Amino acid sequence: MKKSILILAALTAAVVFASIFYGISNYSRANAKAVFYCVESDEMLFSSKADERIAPASLTKLLAASVALYYIDPDEVFTVGSEQELVPKGSSVCLILPGHRLTLCDLITGMLMASGNDAAYTVAVGTARALDPDASMTDMEAVEKFCGLMNDFAKELGMSNSHFTTPDGSDDDGQYTTVSDLLMLAKYALSVPEICEIAGTYRKYVVFESGENITWTNSNKLLCPESRFYSEYAVGLKTGTTSRAGNCLIAAFKKDGKTYISIAAGCFMDMDRYELTLKNFSVYA
């Protein structure tokens, strides 16, 4: 009898696992790493390859935002400068330019909503120089100092299998993380009011301190009312895509008084990360 129950449980788990990945591309089914977690119960509801190393892509920006807001007042004004020359060519930007003056909170808005690598570098250099106003510090040295702060912060969060070398998550041989570590980051990010507000907003009109204005749209399709992936329960958090990382998504949902965190990484197609996320949500929430 006991053996039959164990066999039935194993078969049930296998069917659920297969149903989660049903409809996902073959590549993503074989390579995706994912978790689905309930914050209030501290319960891991689904996990697949969560401890395998992955490239973090723009999910890194959640860590960059967390570090900057830990050290710097969100109303501190930064001036966009020569650090823009460090932004990888052809990468996602939020269209800030040298000479623009923005609050840290607005820079993080552009960094998280529009996934602006340009904002990530200004946040990194501005934060490093605010903490160590050494006139001889080059832009690259400031970025390296900020990445050091990111790694220290990650260790404090318990992210023991992660290392970061850029503030924007661009592919780099020395930069890696795991879905398990990203879950720790996501839990922390949800405790920061500024990050929660920004990451849960679909579209925002922003006026810079220097007078320019822009409207940023969130790259997270779970927040877009016109998207077939829209969810009324979604409250964030961050997309990420690079050639090494594939299509990635850290999502957060609030339903019936509970908060859920879903992470999907290494997906082949953009739609796969949303399909996988929403299937986990429908099964486990």
Side-chain angles (χ1 to χ4, degrees):
M1 180 68 176
K2 184 177 180 181
K3 183 177 180 181
S4 296
I5 292 174
L6 290 173
I7 292 174
L8 179 61
L11 288 172
T12 301
V15 170
V16 171
F17 187 88
S19 69
I20 292 297
F21 284 95
Y22 179 77
I24 309 298
S25 69
N26 289 335
Y27 180 92
S28 294
R29 191 179 300 119
N31 293 280
K33 291 81 179 171
V35 298
F36 194 82
Y37 169 85
C38 179
V39 174
E40 285 74 17
S41 64
D42 189 26
E43 185 178 4
M44 186 70 76
L45 300 169
F46 177 85
S47 179
S48 177
K49 304 177 183 178
D51 295 319
E52 291 187 14
R53 283 188 177 181
I54 59 172
S58 286
L59 307 181
T60 302
K61 290 166 185 164
L62 278 179
L63 179 59
S66 298
V67 170
L69 288 167
Y70 180 80
Y71 287 104
I72 307 295
D73 188 283
D75 294 324
E76 182 78 15
V77 177
F78 288 176
T79 300
V80 183
S82 56
E83 74 280 348
Q84 292 300 299
E85 296 176 9
L86 300 175
V87 178
K89 303 300 181 185
S91 63
S92 60
V93 293
C94 62
L95 303 177
I96 58 174
L97 296 171
H100 286 170
R101 297 174 64 248
L102 298 82
T103 64
L104 173 61
C105 194
D106 285 343
L107 280 168
I108 290 175
T109 299
M111 182 172 72
L112 295 184
M113 288 184 65
S115 205
N117 292 350
D118 45 357
Y121 276 89
T122 296
V123 167
V125 170
T127 300
R129 288 190 171 137
L131 296 175
D132 183 9
D134 181 354
S136 66
M137 185 187 296
T138 66
D139 292 336
M140 182 56 73
E141 288 170 341
V143 169
E144 290 172 352
K145 179 178 178 63
F146 185 78
C147 289
L149 295 174
M150 289 170 61
N151 285 312
D152 291 343
F153 200 87
K155 288 180 182 177
E156 287 295 319
L157 294 180
M159 299 172 68
S160 59
N161 198 11
S162 298
H163 187 259
F164 298 90
T165 59
T166 71
D168 62 343
S170 297
D171 286 336
D172 184 80
D173 288 341
Q175 186 156 254
Y176 56 85
T177 188
T178 66
V179 167
S180 292
D181 278 8
L182 289 172
L183 177 60
M184 298 177 195
L185 173 60
K187 286 193 287 184
Y188 176 82
L190 287 172
S191 74
V192 182
E194 293 86 357
I195 293 179
C196 287
E197 180 177 352
I198 292 167
T201 300
Y202 174 58
R203 184 173 286 129
K204 186 173 183 180
Y205 173 77
V206 176
V207 178
F208 299 170
E209 295 298 305
S210 50
E212 299 81 9
N213 64 82
I214 194 168
T215 298
W216 284 316
T217 301
N218 204 310
S219 58
N220 185 352
K221 294 178 182 178
L222 295 174
L223 302 173
C224 174
E226 290 78 37
S227 170
R228 70 184 181 94
F229 301 115
Y230 173 73
S231 171
E232 62 180 309
Y233 302 105
V235 294
L237 275 168
K238 188 72 191 77
T239 61
T241 307
T242 66
S243 58
R244 292 188 186 181
N247 290 279
C248 309
L249 174 66
I250 299 179
F253 301 90
K254 288 187 180 292
K255 182 182 179 183
D256 298 333
K258 292 186 177 181
T259 304
Y260 299 94
I261 297 172
S262 172
I263 304 178
C267 294
F268 178 62
M269 300 172 66
D270 174 45
M271 63 176 286
D272 289 347
R273 55 182 161 184
Y274 294 105
E275 294 280 8
L276 180 53
T277 295
L278 291 173
K279 285 186 177 183
N280 267 323
F281 179 70
S282 68
V283 170
Y284 295 110

